[in-house]
Amino acid sequence: KYHRNRAVMLSGTGRREEALEALRRAAQVDPASAEIHELLARQLFADGSLEEALVAAREAAILEPRRPEPWFWIGHALSE
């Protein structure tokens, strides 16, 4: 949870690069967390990295197919 919480705090203060690093680290530490992959997709999408965002969102959707957020980001990435 440390890296996830750190990423949320950094993103909220505009430190996007550091937030992205923290989310990538969080995904390494907890690769089975759909929430972390969804947050990573959201950050990547905001940064304009659509292909990477799509990969992260798909991973979240595979991990928790009933979670709506990954599907939202998949749709967003594919519509761009």
Side-chain angles (χ1 to χ4, degrees):
K1 284 261 184 193
Y2 167 78
H3 296 288
R4 178 222 174 269
N5 292 341
R6 184 170 185 269
V8 170
M9 183 272 306
L10 289 166
S11 182
T13 59
R15 296 164 64 183
R16 300 170 77 82
E17 291 286 327
E18 291 173 84
L20 196 52
E21 278 182 43
L23 285 168
R24 285 189 170 129
R25 179 69 180 131
Q28 289 175 339
V29 171
D30 190 3
S33 171
E35 178 191 19
I36 290 170
H37 288 284
E38 185 268 320
L39 289 170
L40 180 58
R42 182 186 308 186
Q43 187 69 49
L44 288 163
F45 185 82
D47 289 348
S49 301
L50 300 181
E51 291 299 318
E52 286 182 90
L54 186 55
V55 170
R58 284 181 173 158
E59 183 62 29
I62 289 167
L63 290 167
E64 283 188 42
R66 293 179 186 222
R67 185 181 175 92
E69 295 89 346
W71 298 107
F72 173 81
W73 294 110
I74 289 169
H76 244 332
L78 292 175
S79 70
E80 289 294 315

